[in-house]
Amino acid sequence: MTMPFSLPLTTLANAVPPVRVLPNNADGFQEIFFRTNGQTDSAVWTDGLFMLTFWFSTFFFVLLMGLLVYWCIIYRRRPGVPQKISPSHNTPLEILWTVVPSSGMLVIFFLGFQGYMDKLVPASGALQLEVTGFKWDWKVSYPDGTQTGQTVTLGGRNDIKVHALPEDTEVSLRLLSNDVIHAFWIPDFRMKMDVFPNRYTGYGFRTPVLGPEDDHPEGRYRDHWVFCAEYCGDLHSEMAAVLRVMPRADYEQWLKDQGSSGDPVIDGKRVYSSMCATCHTVNGAKNIGPSWMNLYGSTREFEDGTSQIADDNYIRESILNPNAKIVKGFQPQMTSYQGVINDTDIANVIAYMKSISEHVEQPAEGEGEGEAPASETDAEGEG
Amino acid sequence: MTTAETTHDHHDEGSYLTPKYGVMGTIWDWMTTVDHKKIGVMYLFAVLFMFFLGGVAALAVRLELLEPVRVAADGTITGQLFGPANPESIATGNNIFNRLFTLHGAIMVFMFIIPSVPAALGNFFLPLMLGAKDVAFPRLNLFSWYIYVVGSLFGVFSIILGGVDTGWTFYTPYSTTTDADHWRVLLMVLAAFVLGFSSILTGLNFIVTTHKLRAPGMGWFDMPLFIWAIYATSIIQVLATPVIGITLLLLIFERLFKVGIFDPALGGDPVLYQHFFWFYSHPVVYVMILPGMGIISEILSVHARKHIFGYRAIAFSSLGIAAVSFIVWGHHMFTAMGELASTIFSALTFLVAIPTAIKMFNWIATLYKGSIAINTPMLYALSFLFLFSIGGLTGLPLGALATDLHLHDSYFVVAHFHYTMMGGTVIAFLGGIHHWWPKMFGRMYNERAGMIGCVLVFIGFNLTFMTQFFLGTQGMPRRYASYIDEFQTLHVLSTYGSWILLAGFLVHLFNFIHSLVAGPKAPPNPWGGLTLEWETESPPIEHNFHHEVLVQHGPYDFDTVVPPHCDEREFPLPETPASH
Amino acid sequence: MATIDAPNPDIQATGAQTHPLYWKNRGFAHHFRNADEQFDACKLGMWLFLSTEILLFAGIFCAYAIFRMLYPEAWAAGSHHLDWRFGGLNTVILLLSSWTVASGVRAAQLGNNAALIRNLVITLICAGLFVFIKLYFEYIPKLSAGKAPGTFFSYPYAHDPHEPLWWSIYYIGTGIHALHVLIGAGLLIWVLVRAIRYEAYGPTEYTMVENSALYWHLVDLIWIFLFPLLYLIH
Amino acid sequence: MSHSIDDVHIPNPDFDPTDPHATGQGHHGHHIISAPTLMIVLLLLLFFTALTVGLSRGEVWVQDTFDIILPNWLNIIIAMSISVIKATLVGAYFMGLRFDKALNSIIMLVCLAAVVCFLFFTAIDLGNRDSVSAVRATVPTPGGTGEGLDKTADRFSTALSPRISTNRMPITEFRRTERLNELALKQAEDHGRIEPNDEDKAAGEAEFWRIYYQGYVDKGKHPHRHEHDEHNYFTKLPDHFAHHDDDALEPVSRPDVAGVADSSPNFSFRRTGKTPGLFSEGSEHASDHAAPASDH
C-alpha cells in the first residue's frame, strides 16, 4: 500500500525544534474555550496553537470591525453632505495585506503539522491497546487479552464503560471497526482518529501524571471521556466510554480484577455489560434488540412466521449469525460477533441468560439477578 | 431629465409580471416561460420553500437538544412531538433526531443553498446586468428549473416515506447498509444526483451567457462583480458537479448491486468515497459562498455610493478561490487520510484563506470616505462582513492539523460552517433580496420592519452559533441526539437563539407579503445604482430593455456619473471634479 | 449613460412576434445578434458539456487507478480475462465511426445532404456493431461464467481476492460508456431523421450536426483510454 | 429614454451591429476540414491502435520466449502515451479544436487540469497511507471483511444483489469453498457415496486446481514460476502437473463453468506481481487482529 517513495515527514516535522507556543494555563479565554488544560503534552501543544490562532484572528477581526464601525459612523449619509472622492485601489497596500496574513498562516500550518506528527506517531514500547468500535460501543483489549466489563454512572449517564490506564505512561491505540466508520475522540487529549472496518488506524499519547486533586473517596484516579465523533447510527450519541487514569499499582490490580471470577454467571454478566448492554436490556424493556429477561427457554416467534424455543444452540447462532432468524418486531440490525467473542464467553453469556430467566429453575438461594441493571456499578468494586 | 419620463415610444411592452392570458393562461404562461426573469422568480419561491422546510427541521433539532436525554424512560422531545413508534425505546427518539438533521442538511445544501443565489438571483440579474435580453439557452434554463423541481420532489418523497438517516454526506458504509429494506435512501441519493444536473446546466448557461451576450462596450473588467462571482461559481458547478454525479451513481450501484467499490466488505475503500464526495462538495461550498460575496460587492458599493476598492483584486480572487477550491478538499478528512496527504492538503488549505482575506480587506476599504446609507441591504452587508470574518477566521484552527484533530466533527465545525454558510450566504441572500426586491417586484418593502428583522436575525444567529464554538472546543461531538450534563447551559442558549432567529425570519416574511400586497410602487432606481439592471423599469419589461444597451461607464463610477433615473440633487456628484 | 437610441430591430421589425421562440422565422434566437453568435454560443455550450462528461468519467478512471495501485495482482488477473481482439475490433469500429461523423459534418458544411445521410447511416451501423460485440461476445459469456461485479461474483477460480472489484470497475466503466454510445446514437438518429425529412442542414445551419458529432467523438475519446486500460495493461 | 446627462447620447463610433463584441472577425467562415486530412487522421489512428496492441502482445511474446519480465510501468507508460496521441488527434482534427476558437481548447485544458488534480491528490492519499506509524500499516483481511454480505433476511429489500451469507469470508474465498464442496460432492457421487470423505475432498481439490490452471495448459506451456510468485501454487497441483511431465499434459477441454464456455481465449499465465491471499486464511486474520500482523 505504500508508494515506492514517501516523504520523510517525521524528519520534516522535526526540522525545526518544536517550541511551546503559549504558556499552559487554563485561564482567560483558554478557560472559556476548553475549561481545563489539555491533559497530555500534545494536547497542551494543541491548546497553545489554538490560542495563538485565536489571538492572530482576534487582531485582524478587531482591526477590521473597528474600521467598519468607525467609518460607518463618520461617513454615514447625511442630507446635504456630498460624497467624497476616494481612491479605488492602492497596489502597495493590497500587496501588504496579502503578504502579512499569508506569512502568519504559514507559521500556523507548520506548528499544526508538528503537533500532528507528535500525536500520530506513538512512542516505541508503548502500552498497546486494541480498540474495536462496533455499533454502538468500544471494546478495548489489553496486551494480556483482558477486556473491560466495569461500568459507572457519569455525567448523567448510566452504563458508561470504564477502561483503566496507568498514569504517566506512553500508550498506543490501534483502532479497528466491526461495521461502519466510527471515530475515537478523547477531548481531554485533544485527539481523535476515524475507525474503519478492514483498516487499522491509531495514535499515541502519554497519560497525565495524577495530582492531589485526583484523590477520591473510592481511590485515586482521573476520568477522561471518550466519544464517538463519526456519525454511526441510532445510538451514535450513546457511544461513550471513560478512560480512567490511575496509579500503576491500582492499574495492575484493576487489570487482575477484570479476569475470570470463576463463576460463569458473573463472567457472563460482565460480557453482557461490555458488549451487549447497548442494545439489549435485562429488565424487560424493548431496545434495539429483544430484552434478555426471561428470554432463555421462551418460545421465539420470527419474522418469517416460524418459531423456536430459545436454547443454547439458538443463542449461539443468534450471536454468531444474528440475521439468520429475526424475532418478530425487530430489525436485522445486529452484526455478527464471530471473531469478537470467544466460546467461553458465549457459554458465560448463556449462563447469565439462564440466571435471569423464569423459564429456568433458579438455584435455591437465587442471587437476586433480576434487579435493575443500573446498580451494576458495585460489581467490580471501584478501581 | 426626471424619473417620471421613463415611459416612451415602446410602452406597448408591459412588465414581465403583467398577466396576459387570464388565470389559467397566466399559469400556463409561467410554467412554459423561457423568460429568465420568470424562471428566476420561480426559483426564488422554490428555494424559499425549501428553506422553510429545512428551517423547520433545524428548529426541531435545536428543540430536541434543549435537554440532555439519556435514559429510555425519559422519552425525547422529538419523540413526543412526532409520536415515536416505541415510546419506551431510546433508539426511536435518536432515530427521529438522525432523520431530522439529515433532512436539514440535505435540504439546506442540495435544495436551498446551492441554487439559492445563482439560480434565483443569478437567473434574474445576470442577463440584466450584462445588458442581454436573456440567457444564452432559455429553454435549457427552463429545463433546469424542472430538473430542480423533479429532484426536490424525489427528496420530499423520500422524507414522506420516512426520511433518511445517513447524514447529508452519505458516508459509506453506513449509507449503503442503513435502511437496507427501503427505497428512501436511494430516493434521496437520486434527488441529489438529479439536482446536480440542474446545477450543471445552470452553470453552463451562465458561462456561455457571460462570454457571448455582454452588451456592446462591456469588457471583462466592466462587468459588475456579481457577474464575476457568478461566473466563477459557474466554472465550479460545471467542473465539480459531474464528479458528484458519478459518485452518487456508484453509491446507488453500491446499494442496489453491492459492487464493492466503497464497501470494505468486498475490499473496497470507504475513504475513496469521501475523496469522491469532497472533490465535489468542497468546491461546492464556494458555489454557495461566492455568489454571496458578489452580492456584498454590489450592495456595499451602491449603498455606500462608492467605487469598489480593488476591483481587479476582487474579480481575480473570485477566480482564484474557484481554482484553489479544487485542491483543498482533503481538509474534510484529516482524521481519515494518510499522513502525507493530510500534510499537503493542510498546506494547500491555507491558500484559500488568501483570496478570501483580500476580498475582506477590499470590502472594508470600500467604506472609506463613502456616503453610507444605513438601510436593510446595507445592514445585511455589514452583518455579512462581521459574521463571515468570524466564519473565515475559525477556519484557521480547522485547517491546521494539530487543532483539527481535536475540532474535527465537533460542534466547532458546525458553528464554523454555519457562520460561513448561513452567516455568509444566507445573510447575503437576504441582503440581495432586499437590495433587488424593488427591481424584481416593482414595490418597496417597509424599511423599518426590514431593519428590525435584520437585527433580530443577527442577534439570534450569534446566540445560536457562537455558543456552539465553545461546545465544540469543550468536546461536544456533532450529530448527537443526547449529551452529557455539562453541555446543557450552552445548548439551551443556542436553542433560545434559534427562536430569535425564527422571529427575525417571520418579520421578513410578513414584510415581503405586505410589500407584495400593499407596498408603495418602486422607482426604477431607488438606490442610485449604476449597473445595467437599474436602467430599465421596475419591474423590468419583458425584453429587459427598451433599447439596445451600450455600456459607456463602469459599474461603480459613482464619482463621475449620476445614476440613471435619478435626480442630480439627491445623488450629487463629488465636489471635486473627477480626474480619470 | 448606458443606453443609446438605436431602436431594437427585433421589436420594430416583427411587431407582434415578440415571443422568444420566433427565432424559427429568423434563423436565430431573439437574444442573439446574428447566427454566427448563436453558433459560437451553442458550440461553447457543447464544449462545456463535454468537459462535464469527461469529469464524469474521471470518477471511473480515478477508481480504476486507485484500485490498480492498491491491488495490482487483481488487476493483472482481471485483464487476462478480457480478449484484446474484441476490444481492438471495437476500437477500430469506433475510430471508423468517428471518421464518418467527421465526414458527415464536412458534408453538411458543403451542403451535400446525400453524403451526410450516407455517413450518418454508416456511423449508426458502427454504433450497433459496437454494442452488439460488447453485449454478445463480452458481457453475456462473462456474466454466465460468473465473472460479475461485487456479490454477483461467482467465478470460483479467482486468482486474487480483489477480483470482484476489477469486474465492478469493468462493468461500470464499459457500461456507462455503452450508455453514452446509445445516447450518442440517439442524437445522430435525430440528426439523420431531420436530414432525410427536411434536408435541414446546410452551410449556414449545421449546429446540430456539429454538436452531435462532438458528442460522438467524445464517446470515441473515452474508449481510446478505456481500451488499453482494460484490455492491454496487465 | 430619460438620462440625467443628455450629451451622452452619442452612438459609439466603434459599434458595429453585425459584430457587437468587436471580435474583429465579422462573419468568419467556418473552417471545413478537407477530406484527405480526415482520411490521414483516420489512418494514423488505426496505425496507433495497431501499434499499441502490437507492443502489448510483443511484451507477452518477449516474456514467453525469453523469460524476460518487463517492468510493469513500461507497459502503462507506452499504452497511455499512445492513447494521449490518439486523443489529441481526435480532438484536434475530428473535433476541429485546431481550427476552432482558442476558448474551446482552454475549456478542455482546464477540465483536464481538474481531472489531474482529482487523480493526483486521491492517489497521494490512498497510495501513501500510514507510512509513519507501524501500528497502522497493515490490512486486516485481504479481500474484505465479508461483514456486510451477511444478508439473509428474506424480506423486502432494495438490494438486487444475491442474498448470501459469506460468514465473514472474502467473496472469492467463499465462492472457491462453494466450488470445492461441489466438486467433492460430485466425486462422492461418482464413487457411490452420499457424504464426501477425505479422499473425495482431495480428488475434488485436484480437479479444482486442474481447472484453475487450464489456461496454462491450453497454451501448451508449462506453468512458469518465477521469483515474484510468493506462494507456490504448483505444489497444490496433482503431482504429474508439478513435475513438468510433458506426457501428463494431455489437452483438456476448456473449463465448462455454469454450462457456458469461458470467454477468455487469451488467458495466459500472469506475468507480474505476486498473488497473496489465495490460501492465506483471511477470515482468521480478521478475528485475530490483536496479534501484530507485520508480514507485509
Side-chain angles (χ1 to χ4, degrees):
Chain A
M1 292 256 294
T2 308
M3 275 183 170
F5 67 93
S6 137
L7 288 182
L9 287 181
T10 21
T11 322
L12 194 67
N14 295 326
V16 177
V19 283
R20 179 145 297 171
V21 278
L22 272 187
N24 164 34
N25 54 339
D27 53 10
F29 279 103
Q30 191 176 351
E31 193 180 3
I32 295 174
F33 274 115
F34 295 105
R35 279 201 308 218
T36 52
N37 278 331
Q39 300 286 308
T40 63
D41 290 350
S42 46
V44 170
W45 171 278
T46 305
D47 288 358
L49 177 58
F50 184 90
M51 294 318 291
L52 178 77
T53 318
F54 174 74
W55 290 117
F56 176 81
S57 308
T58 305
F59 169 75
F60 282 102
F61 184 73
V62 169
L63 177 75
L64 288 178
M65 291 307 118
L67 284 176
L68 182 145
V69 172
Y70 178 65
W71 283 341
C72 277
I73 292 170
I74 64 165
Y75 297 126
R76 70 185 181 278
R77 189 175 296 177
R78 281 160 294 183
V81 179
Q83 64 187 95
K84 301 174 181 63
I85 294 285
S86 64
S88 68
H89 68 97
N90 183 333
T91 313
L93 185 64
E94 290 179 50
I95 290 173
L96 183 75
W97 72 38
T98 307
V99 171
V100 171
S102 307
S103 5
M105 286 168 207
L106 200 66
V107 173
I108 293 174
F109 156 71
F110 194 77
L111 292 175
F113 168 58
Q114 282 188 321
Y116 170 76
M117 294 308 287
D118 183 39
K119 284 175 174 178
L120 209 65
V121 185
S124 56
L127 167 69
Q128 184 167 329
L129 304 187
E130 301 286 339
V131 180
T132 310
F134 56 95
K135 284 180 183 172
W136 287 275
D137 211 342
W138 304 100
K139 188 186 82 172
V140 176
S141 300
Y142 288 81
D144 61 358
T146 307
Q147 293 171 20
T148 324
Q150 185 194 352
T151 57
V152 293
T153 298
L154 202 64
R157 294 190 176 204
N158 300 321
D159 299 332
I160 295 296
K161 215 185 291 174
V162 175
H163 309 290
L165 289 176
E167 66 171 327
D168 199 20
T169 308
E170 291 285 354
V171 177
S172 149
L173 302 177
R174 187 154 78 161
L175 311 165
L176 190 71
S177 165
N178 249 354
D179 31 49
V180 298
I181 306 176
H182 305 279
F184 197 77
W185 183 18
I186 315 172
D188 283 349
F189 297 172
R190 312 279 188 261
M191 182 60 191
K192 75 166 68 65
M193 190 54 68
D194 282 6
V195 182
F196 292 96
N198 210 28
R199 174 187 157 197
Y200 288 123
T201 51
Y203 55 91
F205 51 82
R206 186 176 189 87
T207 51
V209 183
L210 297 179
E213 73 279 13
D214 298 317
D215 286 320
H216 302 274
E218 61 274 32
R220 185 174 160 78
Y221 63 86
R222 192 186 294 176
D223 281 342
H224 302 290
W225 279 105
V226 173
F227 294 124
C228 173
E230 184 69 58
Y231 172 66
C232 59
D234 286 356
L235 297 191
H236 168 53
S237 49
E238 323 297 317
M239 198 169 160
V242 160
L243 291 186
R244 180 164 284 183
V245 177
M246 47 179 76
R248 182 162 280 278
D250 292 359
Y251 164 76
E252 306 282 357
Q253 183 58 40
W254 180 90
L255 212 54
K256 224 173 272 170
D257 291 345
Q258 302 302 308
S260 168
S261 65
D263 182 346
V265 175
I266 292 178
D267 285 357
K269 190 174 176 183
R270 185 177 293 141
V271 174
Y272 163 79
S273 7
S274 79
M275 287 193 235
C276 323
T278 325
C279 304
H280 300 274
T281 68
V282 288
N283 59 3
K286 186 179 173 180
N287 202 339
I288 306 274
S291 172
W292 286 6
M293 192 180 189
N294 301 333
L295 187 150
Y296 190 91
S298 65
T299 307
R300 313 302 290 164
E301 295 191 353
F302 303 122
E303 282 279 311
D304 57 5
T306 59
S307 63
Q308 184 182 354
I309 289 184
D311 55 5
D312 288 14
N313 276 326
Y314 166 75
I315 288 166
R316 186 184 163 78
E317 184 191 26
S318 298
I319 294 171
L320 297 182
N321 189 5
N323 294 333
K325 301 189 177 92
I326 303 299
V327 175
K328 197 167 264 179
F330 291 92
Q331 303 287 321
Q333 288 233 19
M334 183 169 160
T335 51
S336 168
Y337 277 66
Q338 186 146 24
V340 179
I341 188 168
N342 59 31
D343 280 341
T344 324
D345 281 347
I346 293 179
N348 290 340
V349 165
I350 292 173
Y352 176 56
M353 291 173 91
K354 279 180 179 168
S355 76
I356 55 170
S357 171
E358 64 187 16
H359 303 286
V360 181
E361 268 186 44
Q362 299 297 331
E365 302 93 306
E367 295 188 26
E369 288 289 349
E371 66 188 67
S375 66
E376 218 157 316
T377 38
D378 57 347
E380 309 305 331
E382 307 300 344
Chain B
M1 193 67 78
T2 63
T3 47
E5 210 190 316
T6 45
T7 51
H8 48 90
D9 322 351
H10 307 297
H11 55 269
D12 55 322
E13 265 204 295
S15 110
Y16 79 104
L17 286 169
T18 316
K20 289 188 209 100
Y21 318 102
V23 177
M24 289 314 290
T26 306
I27 292 173
W28 180 248
D29 178 43
W30 276 76
M31 299 319 284
T32 58
T33 185
V34 289
D35 183 353
H36 68 98
K37 298 183 287 302
K38 288 181 178 171
I39 294 172
V41 170
M42 293 200 290
Y43 264 120
L44 182 66
F45 286 112
V47 297
L48 286 180
F49 177 70
M50 284 301 163
F51 182 61
F52 167 73
L53 276 190
V56 169
L59 286 168
V61 164
R62 277 310 333 156
L63 192 60
E64 159 69 31
L65 291 170
L66 199 54
E67 54 185 65
V69 178
R70 57 246 171 206
V71 281
D74 283 4
T76 59
I77 290 178
T78 40
Q80 285 156 13
L81 275 180
F82 294 88
N86 306 304
E88 74 273 23
S89 167
I90 186 173
T92 314
N94 284 1
N95 195 292
I96 291 173
F97 177 85
N98 294 344
R99 279 158 214 279
L100 277 175
F101 79 69
T102 304
L103 171 74
H104 169 66
I107 286 190
M108 285 299 193
V109 169
F110 293 117
M111 293 161 212
F112 168 64
I113 206 165
I114 292 177
S116 63
V117 184
L121 296 181
N123 240 320
F124 200 105
F125 288 104
L126 180 117
L128 276 172
M129 285 175 142
L130 287 173
K133 290 191 206 101
D134 209 325
V135 291
F137 310 115
R139 283 177 295 171
L140 197 66
N141 201 13
L142 180 67
F143 184 52
S144 29
W145 187 76
Y146 275 107
I147 296 176
Y148 169 77
V149 171
V150 169
S152 303
L153 282 180
F154 278 155
V156 171
F157 271 128
S158 126
I159 293 160
I160 291 171
L161 286 175
V164 174
D165 68 341
T166 57
W168 77 274
T169 48
F170 304 117
Y171 269 17
T172 54
Y174 187 75
S175 63
T176 53
T177 50
T178 181
D179 278 337
D181 56 341
H182 214 286
W183 293 94
R184 56 196 169 216
V185 178
L186 276 177
L187 263 181
M188 187 57 98
V189 174
L190 206 60
F193 178 73
V194 170
L195 288 165
F197 278 102
S198 168
S199 191
I200 288 177
L201 294 179
T202 306
L204 188 153
N205 222 334
F206 288 173
I207 292 181
V208 178
T209 309
T210 311
H211 271 283
K212 295 293 173 194
L213 294 181
R214 294 195 309 279
M218 182 183 278
W220 279 91
F221 293 107
D222 302 323
M223 293 198 310
L225 285 168
F226 180 67
I227 306 285
W228 272 103
I230 292 279
Y231 181 72
T233 306
S234 303
I235 292 176
I236 301 177
Q237 281 180 316
V238 165
L239 288 182
T241 319
V243 176
I244 196 70
I246 190 69
T247 311
L248 295 177
L249 211 55
L250 290 176
L251 190 62
I252 291 171
F253 289 158
E254 195 74 64
R255 263 188 88 88
L256 279 180
F257 309 117
K258 291 206 181 299
V259 289
I261 292 174
F262 302 137
D263 189 357
L266 284 156
D269 197 312
V271 180
L272 186 64
Y273 171 82
Q274 298 178 16
H275 277 290
F276 273 52
F277 182 82
W278 289 114
F279 180 81
Y280 161 75
S281 291
H282 188 71
V284 100
V285 305
Y286 299 104
V287 167
M288 302 172 195
I289 192 62
L290 273 173
M293 294 169 160
I295 291 177
I296 295 307
S297 305
E298 295 303 315
I299 294 180
L300 279 178
S301 65
V302 171
H303 294 272
R305 207 179 302 159
K306 181 70 179 48
H307 193 292
I308 195 98
F309 192 89
Y311 174 93
R312 287 192 183 219
I314 294 185
F316 282 127
S317 66
S318 287
L319 291 183
I321 287 175
V324 176
S325 73
F326 282 96
I327 50 172
V328 297
W329 77 84
H331 63 228
H332 295 264
M333 310 154 52
F334 284 153
T335 57
M337 287 192 305
E339 301 77 15
L340 180 63
S342 296
T343 308
I344 292 176
F345 273 125
S346 170
L348 291 173
T349 294
F350 285 98
L351 283 181
V352 171
I354 296 170
T356 317
I358 290 175
K359 276 181 191 283
M360 205 67 216
F361 288 122
N362 279 313
W363 286 325
I364 301 280
T366 299
L367 295 174
Y368 174 63
K369 282 192 178 177
S371 167
I372 300 168
I374 300 296
N375 50 21
T376 315
M378 194 63 182
L379 267 190
Y380 267 116
L382 299 177
S383 305
F384 174 95
L385 295 181
F386 184 89
L387 301 175
F388 184 73
S389 38
I390 294 181
L393 290 167
T394 50
L396 295 178
L398 291 172
L401 284 164
T403 36
D404 180 76
L405 289 184
H406 176 54
L407 301 171
H408 181 86
D409 268 341
S410 74
Y411 261 58
F412 193 88
V413 175
V414 177
H416 161 72
F417 71 69
H418 278 94
Y419 263 88
T420 51
M421 295 293 96
M422 189 165 176
T425 311
V426 177
I427 294 290
F429 185 46
L430 283 171
I433 291 179
H434 281 96
H435 179 64
W436 281 312
W437 184 267
K439 180 56 66 183
M440 291 173 86
F441 298 104
R443 287 177 185 276
M444 297 303 288
Y445 56 88
N446 185 317
E447 194 64 63
R448 183 181 294 271
M451 283 166 79
I452 291 174
C454 176
V455 169
L456 281 178
V457 167
F458 182 78
I459 294 172
F461 177 85
N462 277 307
L463 188 55
T464 311
F465 293 106
M466 187 69 84
T467 46
Q468 297 185 2
F469 283 123
F470 303 111
L471 278 173
T473 45
Q474 290 174 11
M476 171 77 201
R478 57 194 284 215
R479 297 174 169 182
Y480 261 31
S482 58
Y483 48 86
I484 57 175
D485 289 344
E486 288 98 299
F487 298 139
Q488 192 176 4
T489 318
L490 288 169
H491 269 298
V492 167
L493 283 178
S494 179
T495 304
Y496 290 165
S498 72
W499 297 342
I500 301 178
L501 204 47
L502 172 70
F505 285 129
L506 286 180
V507 170
H508 283 318
L509 180 69
F510 290 125
N511 194 13
F512 288 147
I513 292 174
H514 176 265
S515 160
L516 284 180
V517 176
K521 187 160 175 15
N525 193 0
W527 317 122
L530 284 179
T531 41
L532 292 177
E533 81 269 26
W534 302 111
E535 306 215 343
T536 182
E537 319 274 338
S538 289
I541 57 168
E542 190 151 347
H543 284 274
N544 291 356
F545 299 99
H546 290 296
H547 300 90
E548 189 79 41
V549 184
L550 181 64
V551 179
Q552 292 192 326
H553 59 73
Y556 307 112
D557 288 347
F558 292 95
D559 291 347
T560 51
V561 183
V562 172
H565 306 300
C566 283
D567 191 334
E568 210 169 346
R569 284 163 301 185
E570 287 176 34
F571 291 85
L573 292 177
E575 280 161 341
T576 324
S579 53
H580 284 279
Chain C
M1 237 14 283
T3 57
I4 53 168
D5 273 337
N8 187 332
D10 301 349
I11 297 170
Q12 278 204 336
T14 55
Q17 280 181 318
T18 49
H19 193 271
L21 285 183
Y22 77 101
W23 65 274
K24 282 176 183 166
N25 307 332
R26 221 174 64 151
F28 55 92
H30 80 300
H31 52 286
F32 291 110
R33 290 185 187 80
N34 53 53
D36 261 3
E37 195 179 70
Q38 171 163 312
F39 175 80
D40 281 347
C42 288
K43 206 164 169 185
L44 179 62
M46 194 64 201
W47 275 104
L48 283 167
F49 184 71
L50 294 188
S51 66
T52 70
E53 291 281 4
I54 289 178
L55 276 148
L56 183 93
F57 277 97
I60 295 166
F61 285 121
C62 182
Y64 173 94
I66 294 299
F67 285 123
R68 205 204 126 69
M69 184 173 68
L70 294 183
Y71 316 125
E73 301 85 13
W75 254 232
S79 94
H80 279 293
H81 288 284
L82 300 185
D83 190 348
W84 64 270
R85 282 167 291 195
F86 291 133
L89 184 60
N90 265 347
T91 311
V92 172
I93 287 173
L94 274 193
L95 289 177
L96 261 179
S97 71
S98 239
W99 174 64
T100 52
V101 158
S103 309
V105 174
R106 186 182 135 77
Q109 283 172 326
L110 295 172
N112 186 345
N113 203 41
L116 171 63
I117 292 171
R118 198 167 57 237
N119 277 306
L120 287 178
V121 168
I122 299 175
T123 311
L124 286 169
I125 291 173
C126 286
L129 259 180
F130 179 90
V131 175
F132 175 76
I133 291 174
K134 192 103 238 143
L135 269 182
Y136 191 77
F137 291 111
E138 304 214 86
Y139 281 1
I140 291 176
K142 283 186 179 59
L143 288 172
S144 319
K147 298 165 184 175
T151 41
F152 292 95
F153 188 82
S154 60
Y155 182 68
Y157 306 105
H159 285 247
D160 189 280
H162 294 104
E163 261 184 59
L165 278 183
W166 196 86
W167 291 109
S168 296
I169 299 280
Y170 168 76
Y171 285 108
I172 291 172
T174 56
I176 292 182
H177 177 262
L179 185 72
H180 279 76
V181 170
L182 293 179
I183 294 172
L187 281 176
L188 291 178
I189 287 174
W190 186 27
V191 173
L192 180 64
V193 167
R194 277 170 58 85
I196 293 173
R197 274 234 195 124
Y198 313 118
E199 299 192 8
Y201 307 109
T204 57
E205 174 52 49
Y206 63 98
T207 317
M208 188 63 211
V209 189
E210 171 90 6
N211 282 352
S212 307
L214 284 178
Y215 190 86
W216 189 256
H217 292 309
L218 180 89
V219 172
D220 187 25
L221 271 186
I222 301 289
W223 184 255
I224 284 177
F225 284 93
L226 273 181
F227 167 58
L229 283 177
L230 293 174
Y231 291 79
L232 299 182
I233 295 176
H234 305 302
Chain D
M1 197 70 180
S2 94
H3 298 293
S4 27
I5 307 175
D6 276 16
D7 55 1
V8 186
H9 283 253
I10 304 163
N12 185 350
D14 300 331
F15 180 58
D16 170 11
T18 60
D19 184 19
H21 293 140
T23 52
Q25 293 171 331
H27 279 274
H28 62 281
H30 297 296
H31 186 90
I32 303 178
I33 303 161
S34 72
T37 313
L38 291 178
M39 187 45 120
I40 289 170
V41 171
L42 174 69
L43 290 177
L44 273 175
L45 286 169
L46 291 176
F47 165 73
F48 278 119
T49 308
L51 185 69
T52 186
V53 171
L55 286 174
S56 166
R57 300 317 300 162
E59 201 194 343
V60 175
W61 177 79
V62 165
Q63 184 182 344
D64 278 0
T65 318
F66 307 112
D67 266 356
I68 297 173
I69 315 283
L70 294 172
N72 214 337
W73 52 263
L74 193 69
N75 190 317
I76 298 175
I77 287 185
I78 290 177
M80 285 296 97
S81 312
I82 293 178
S83 289
V84 169
I85 294 172
K86 283 164 73 180
T88 315
L89 279 174
V90 172
Y93 291 94
F94 282 176
M95 301 172 96
L97 272 183
R98 212 195 131 183
F99 315 104
D100 212 340
K101 287 198 159 55
L103 181 60
N104 294 340
S105 307
I106 292 170
I107 289 172
M108 275 297 108
L109 290 179
V110 170
C111 160
L112 291 178
V115 173
V116 168
C117 287
F118 184 29
L119 276 169
F120 179 70
F121 287 103
T122 313
I124 278 192
D125 174 32
L126 280 107
N128 225 326
R129 264 182 196 162
D130 309 327
S131 47
V132 299
S133 161
V135 173
R136 299 147 53 107
T138 49
V139 178
T141 318
T145 61
E147 176 59 54
L149 308 179
D150 287 327
K151 179 100 186 102
T152 49
D154 187 22
R155 308 163 65 227
F156 172 67
S157 170
T158 48
L160 303 177
S161 55
R163 279 186 203 93
I164 49 172
S165 184
T166 66
N167 216 1
R168 293 168 72 87
M169 265 191 259
I171 182 115
T172 45
E173 195 185 327
F174 174 72
R175 295 301 188 194
R176 195 180 63 244
T177 320
E178 271 187 344
R179 182 69 177 153
L180 282 170
N181 290 341
E182 233 172 69
L183 287 170
L185 261 177
K186 194 163 175 299
Q187 291 291 331
E189 264 175 38
D190 290 352
H191 295 95
R193 286 188 280 264
I194 299 170
E195 286 289 314
N197 61 12
D198 288 350
E199 197 182 310
D200 296 332
K201 282 179 186 161
E205 196 172 329
E207 173 69 6
F208 179 90
W209 289 111
R210 201 179 59 75
I211 300 172
Y212 184 92
Y213 287 104
Q214 200 105 47
Y216 307 103
V217 177
D218 278 1
K219 284 174 72 82
K221 288 177 181 304
H222 300 301
H224 287 233
R225 263 197 80 231
H226 52 75
E227 55 190 4
H228 294 283
D229 247 339
E230 259 188 2
H231 300 258
N232 185 356
Y233 299 128
F234 301 95
T235 57
K236 295 184 184 302
L237 287 171
D239 282 347
H240 58 275
F241 260 59
H243 290 148
H244 286 213
D245 183 353
D246 278 355
D247 296 336
L249 279 175
E250 55 204 25
V252 285
S253 60
R254 300 208 50 76
D256 188 32
V257 187
V260 175
D262 192 289
S263 64
S264 55
N266 65 329
F267 192 94
S268 59
F269 56 89
R270 300 176 36 257
R271 300 168 303 112
T272 49
K274 48 192 191 245
T275 318
L278 200 60
F279 270 89
S280 59
E281 320 292 335
S283 62
E284 282 185 23
H285 275 309
S287 57
D288 194 26
H289 58 76
S294 56
D295 51 342
H296 282 264

